[in-house]
């Protein structure tokens, strides 16, 4: 399989980035929900919270790095064309949903980092090294960016669900290759 995209197929680099980012996002949504249950006084588990919170931050930072790489890769290469019979409204919706997903994948981790850093919280990437704090300590910044992170996270979860549902719709109902051309190919081609 070719590393680069063609007019018909996604290349191996795009597929690897797509599925890696998807896995990281799904893991972080699950971890965020788990963390939220630990923040309730009755169910509180400080040790688990102290493990999951840096894990959530680290996964978010890796997803941010990968999406920047994905965007650079996308701008430098070809994009497979949609099937010729795709209605214009679906083309517009596809463009909009992808744009929102990219925007949210960038925005959510940046807002999460800003919310944490602006209260002076220390962030170690996978417990290996400290990520520099470049955001001033400020309660207003923390509050605003926390809510951007929270609402943006839910919006991202919704957009990912819509994206997956659309791919499944195309596969099972439209019977086109939208889903299969993004799936990893096992074996030799």
């Amino acid at each position: 399989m070719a590393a680069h995209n063609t007019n018909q197929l996604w290349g191996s680099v795009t597929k690897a980035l797509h599925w890696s980012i998807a896995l990281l996002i799904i893991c972080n949504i699950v971890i965020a929900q788990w963390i939220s249950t630990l923040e309730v006084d009755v169910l509180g588990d400080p040790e688990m919270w102290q493990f999951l919170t840096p894990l959530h931050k680290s996964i978010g930072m890796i997803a941010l790095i990968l999406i920047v790489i994905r965007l650079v890769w996308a701008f430098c290469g070809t994009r497979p064309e949609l099937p010729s019979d795709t209605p214009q409204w679906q083309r517009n919706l596809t463009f909009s949903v992808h744009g929102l997903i990219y925007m949210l994948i960038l925005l959510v981790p940046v807002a999460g980092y800003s919310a944490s850093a602006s209260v002076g919280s220390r962030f170690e990437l996978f417990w290996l090294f400290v990520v520099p704090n470049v955001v001033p300590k400020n309660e207003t910044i923390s509050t605003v960016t926390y809510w951007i992170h929270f609402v943006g996270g839910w919006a991202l979860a919704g957009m990912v669900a819509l994206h997956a549902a659309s791919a499944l719709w195309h596969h099972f109902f439209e019977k086109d290759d939208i889903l299969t051309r993004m799936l990893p190919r096992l074996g030799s081609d």
Side-chain angles (χ1 to χ4, degrees):
M1 170 185 294
H4 292 277
N5 302 335
T6 68
N7 286 339
Q8 272 68 44
L9 296 172
W10 296 104
S12 59
V13 172
T14 300
K15 289 180 183 184
L17 288 167
H18 177 273
W19 291 108
S20 298
I21 293 165
L23 180 63
L24 291 170
I25 290 169
I26 292 166
C27 286
N28 245 8
I29 290 168
V30 170
I31 292 169
Q33 291 309 300
W34 191 354
I35 289 170
S36 72
T37 67
L38 300 173
E39 292 175 348
V40 178
D41 289 337
V42 177
L43 300 174
D45 183 346
E47 285 138 13
M48 186 58 76
W49 189 90
Q50 289 172 352
F51 170 74
L52 290 174
T53 300
L55 180 63
H56 177 74
K57 292 176 181 182
S58 296
I59 290 171
M61 188 64 67
I62 297 303
L64 177 62
I65 291 166
L66 289 179
I67 196 61
V68 169
I69 293 168
R70 169 75 172 94
L71 288 169
V72 169
W73 183 257
F75 286 124
C76 294
T78 305
R79 180 180 183 85
E81 297 168 5
L82 291 171
S84 59
D85 61 344
T86 304
Q88 189 60 44
W89 71 267
Q90 282 185 10
R91 292 174 184 275
N92 294 342
L93 185 60
T94 298
F95 180 79
S96 298
V97 169
H98 282 119
L100 280 170
I101 288 172
Y102 287 136
M103 182 192 73
L104 289 167
I105 295 173
L106 290 168
L107 180 66
V108 169
V110 168
Y113 168 80
S114 298
S116 179
S118 60
V119 294
S121 180
R122 180 180 159 120
F123 168 35
E124 293 182 30
L125 187 68
F126 291 109
W127 304 277
L128 298 174
F129 61 89
V130 175
V131 174
N133 187 344
V134 296
V135 178
K137 195 170 180 180
N138 182 297
E139 189 175 326
T140 303
I141 292 172
S142 177
T143 302
V144 170
T145 56
Y146 168 79
W147 282 106
I148 292 171
H149 181 72
F150 179 79
V151 173
W154 279 108
L156 179 57
M159 289 291 104
V160 167
L162 178 61
H163 179 69
S166 175
L168 292 171
W169 173 269
H170 275 274
H171 184 72
F172 290 110
F173 296 101
E174 299 290 332
K175 308 267 189 230
D176 60 28
D177 67 347
I178 294 291
L179 175 63
T180 57
R181 63 186 182 178
M182 183 52 88
L183 292 175
R185 300 240 193 272
L186 302 176
S188 61
D189 287 327

